[in-house]
């Protein structure tokens, strides 16, 4: 995701043989999301955390940073309030003793590229994250390379990591399993375009969103995290969802964050952030409806008003990478995209915040019309 693409949908332009077309809200139906700068207890903004996941937890929100974040944000979960205020210094991660002898110990112990976040629906002291780019890491031993060669995707396998909150507010990496795609799935070898979204549905179904495959299309998969899942260290083979995703002929339109939502009538959906397109995808898990694409206009708060710069300013790009459903509110956090984030600078009051790659927390009321 190095280049920003603008989503242009013309009738028929998204036909890719199978005839599926995603529906998009009209321009005047665009949502407006107003963001608040995430701040430390001192009142200063959070500097360069590169958020890559967001979920509800214990009355507030949890966020995760990837390996490109400033050092103080790496390998920890950060708790924040819905008022966009950090609660404390976060929950640091350590490897369990059992994982020190794992094939993946060297990578996991050396600033792994952590993406996405899910909280166990039955035990809120247990969390799940995935790894993305491992192209910079040292190779595994010959035996480990042979054992985990058949990834169906990248040379170094994508890892699903189980974390548990134990004593002293430490998160211990207790288990890890490499994820396996079937060769027929045509995923391709894209180390920096892997899984960036996790969400739990019913019956311990964990949904995984991948940025792009060989055909530059986003994809959705699932795993069932049953009672025996972590008893194995072998590959965890994923299943592909039949849900209808948008299809595109040109450009990159990845999935970068998502969460699960169930309507009052029991219909199940994934609410998916498409970072490149500044839009929200409404994906029907029953695969009956085409995905609905809803454009979002993002605005950054202005703490001190001046002539022409009052309350909020329109953003050139937000780059959402974290999505959390909390009752009837959708919370979103952005991952400041260093290549384009400074394009947001307009009002002098926010210049320094953008230059420090400070993120914002946005919220939207969930609307019944999204699911019609």
């Amino acid at each position: 995701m190095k280049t920003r693409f603008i989503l242009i949908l013309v009738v028929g332009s998204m036909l890719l043989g199978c005839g599926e077309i995603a529906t998009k809200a009209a321009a005047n139906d665009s949502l407006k999301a107003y963001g608040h700068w995430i701040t430390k207890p001192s009142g200063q903004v959070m500097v360069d955390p590169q958020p890559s996941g967001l979920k509800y937890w214990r009355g507030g929100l949890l966020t995760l940073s990837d390996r490109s974040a400033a050092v103080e944000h790496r390998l920890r979960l950060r708790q924040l309030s819905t008022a966009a205020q950090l609660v404390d210094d976060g929950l640091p991660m350590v490897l369990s003793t059992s994982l020190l002898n794992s094939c993946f110990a060297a990578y996991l112990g050396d600033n792994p590229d952590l993406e996405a976040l899910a909280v166990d629906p039955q035990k809120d002291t247990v969390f799940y994250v995935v790894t993305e780019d491992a192209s910079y890491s040292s190779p595994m031993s010959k035996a480990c390379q042979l054992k985990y060669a058949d990834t169906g995707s990248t040379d170094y396998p994508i890892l699903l990591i189980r974390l548990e909150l134990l004593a002293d507010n430490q998160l211990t990496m207790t288990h890890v399993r490499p994820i396996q795609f079937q060769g027929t799935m045509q995923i391709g070898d894209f180390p920096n375009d892997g899984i960036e979204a996790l969400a739990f549905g019913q019956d311990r179904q964990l949904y995984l969103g991948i940025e792009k495959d060989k055909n530059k299309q986003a994809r959705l998969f699932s795993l069932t995290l049953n009672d025996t899942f972590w008893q194995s260290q072998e590959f965890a083979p994923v299943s592909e969802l039949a849900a209808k995703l948008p299809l595109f002929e040109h450009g990159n339109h990845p999935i970068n964050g998502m969460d699960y939502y169930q309507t009052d009538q029991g219909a199940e959906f994934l609410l998916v952030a498409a970072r490149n397109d500044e839009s929200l995808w409404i994906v029907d898990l029953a695969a009956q409806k085409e995905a609905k694409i809803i454009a979002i206009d993002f605005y950054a708060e202005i703490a001190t008003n001046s002539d022409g710069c009052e309350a909020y300013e329109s953003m050139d790009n937000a780059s959402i990478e974290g999505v959390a459903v909390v009752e009837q509110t959708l919370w979103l956090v952005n991952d400041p995209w260093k290549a384009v984030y400074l394009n947001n600078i307009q009002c002098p009051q926010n210049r320094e915040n953008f230059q420090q790659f400070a993120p914002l927390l946005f919220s939207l009321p969930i609307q019944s019309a999204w699911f019609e």
Side-chain angles (χ1 to χ4, degrees):
M1 302 186 308
K2 304 305 182 188
T3 307
R4 175 184 170 89
F5 293 91
I6 300 174
L7 175 63
I8 302 173
L9 297 180
V10 179
V11 175
S13 67
M14 292 168 55
L15 291 171
L16 293 182
C18 61
E20 294 183 6
I21 302 177
T23 58
K24 184 182 180 182
N28 57 5
D29 291 332
S30 296
L31 301 175
K32 288 179 168 43
Y34 296 91
H36 297 276
W37 298 103
I38 298 176
T39 56
K40 304 174 186 177
S42 65
Q44 297 176 314
V45 295
M46 193 181 189
V47 177
D48 196 18
Q50 298 294 299
S52 61
L54 183 75
K55 285 295 180 286
Y56 172 76
W57 191 64
R58 297 186 177 182
L61 297 163
L62 278 180
T63 187
L64 169 77
S65 296
D66 66 25
R67 77 177 302 269
S68 64
V71 174
E72 65 266 27
H73 305 305
R74 299 174 189 168
L75 284 170
R76 67 184 57 224
L77 297 183
R78 301 301 303 271
Q79 188 177 1
L80 63 150
S81 70
T82 54
Q85 296 172 342
L86 289 170
V87 174
D88 51 31
D89 291 332
L91 307 172
M93 302 177 192
V94 297
L95 265 68
S96 65
T97 303
S98 61
L99 285 188
L100 290 176
N101 296 318
S102 160
C103 285
F104 314 113
Y107 174 64
L108 294 178
D110 184 27
N111 188 26
D113 189 23
L114 302 180
E115 299 283 349
L117 174 65
V119 181
D120 192 286
Q122 295 173 321
K123 188 176 182 181
D124 77 351
T125 55
V126 174
F127 312 90
Y128 305 95
V129 299
V130 293
T131 61
E132 192 176 39
D133 190 6
S135 59
Y136 60 88
S137 65
S138 300
M140 293 184 290
S141 69
K142 295 288 186 182
C144 289
Q145 289 182 52
L146 183 61
K147 181 177 181 179
Y148 296 116
D150 191 18
T151 67
S153 59
T154 52
D155 285 341
Y156 197 105
I158 295 168
L159 306 177
L160 179 66
I161 303 168
R162 180 187 185 274
L163 299 159
E164 187 164 4
L165 183 59
L166 301 175
D168 301 323
N169 275 345
Q170 275 198 343
L171 280 171
T172 299
M173 295 184 186
T174 61
H175 299 79
V176 59
R177 284 190 70 178
I179 291 172
Q180 184 182 52
F181 301 91
Q182 298 303 314
T184 55
M185 292 175 176
Q186 297 290 296
I187 297 302
D189 184 358
F190 301 107
N192 199 37
D193 291 285
I195 294 170
E196 289 219 353
L198 293 175
F200 268 105
Q202 300 297 309
D203 302 319
R204 298 195 62 78
Q205 287 294 302
L206 180 65
Y207 299 110
L208 307 93
I210 195 167
E211 289 188 278
K212 73 176 183 182
D213 63 9
K214 282 185 176 180
N215 298 310
K216 293 189 176 181
Q217 304 298 319
R219 304 275 288 278
L220 287 172
F221 301 90
S222 69
L223 287 168
T224 302
L225 268 60
N226 56 29
D227 293 340
T228 62
F229 183 86
W230 295 109
Q231 293 177 13
S232 172
Q233 296 181 4
E234 301 301 317
F235 274 116
V238 297
S239 300
E240 185 159 18
L241 296 187
K244 299 177 181 179
L245 287 177
L247 296 173
F248 301 90
E249 288 186 334
H250 305 289
N252 290 325
H253 308 274
I255 287 173
N256 299 98
M258 67 187 182
D259 209 353
Y260 171 86
Y261 181 81
Q262 187 175 52
T263 68
D264 291 340
Q265 295 73 37
E268 298 177 281
F269 293 85
L270 290 175
L271 308 186
V272 176
R275 158 177 158 156
N276 289 30
D277 302 325
E278 305 281 281
S279 65
L280 183 69
W281 299 354
I282 312 299
V283 179
D284 176 18
L285 283 171
Q288 299 299 308
K289 303 176 186 291
E290 302 290 346
K292 183 178 291 186
I293 301 177
I294 303 173
I296 306 178
D297 296 325
F298 291 95
Y299 296 82
E301 70 174 329
I302 299 172
T304 306
N305 294 340
S306 65
D307 187 27
C309 291
E310 298 155 353
Y312 293 90
E313 64 174 329
S314 176
M315 297 179 68
D316 176 78
N317 71 90
S319 303
I320 298 299
E321 286 216 2
V323 178
V325 170
V326 184
E327 297 181 346
Q328 296 303 308
T329 299
L330 184 67
W331 294 92
L332 307 167
V333 69
N334 69 320
D335 175 12
W337 193 349
K338 293 183 178 179
V340 294
Y341 205 53
L342 299 189
N343 295 343
N344 288 309
I345 296 173
Q346 300 174 71
C347 294
Q349 297 96 315
N350 281 338
R351 175 180 293 275
E352 186 175 359
N353 290 350
F354 287 125
Q355 290 174 334
Q356 294 183 107
F357 304 108
L360 297 115
L361 183 66
F362 304 85
S363 66
L364 290 166
I366 294 174
Q367 304 176 25
S368 59
W370 296 355
F371 314 105
E372 295 173 353

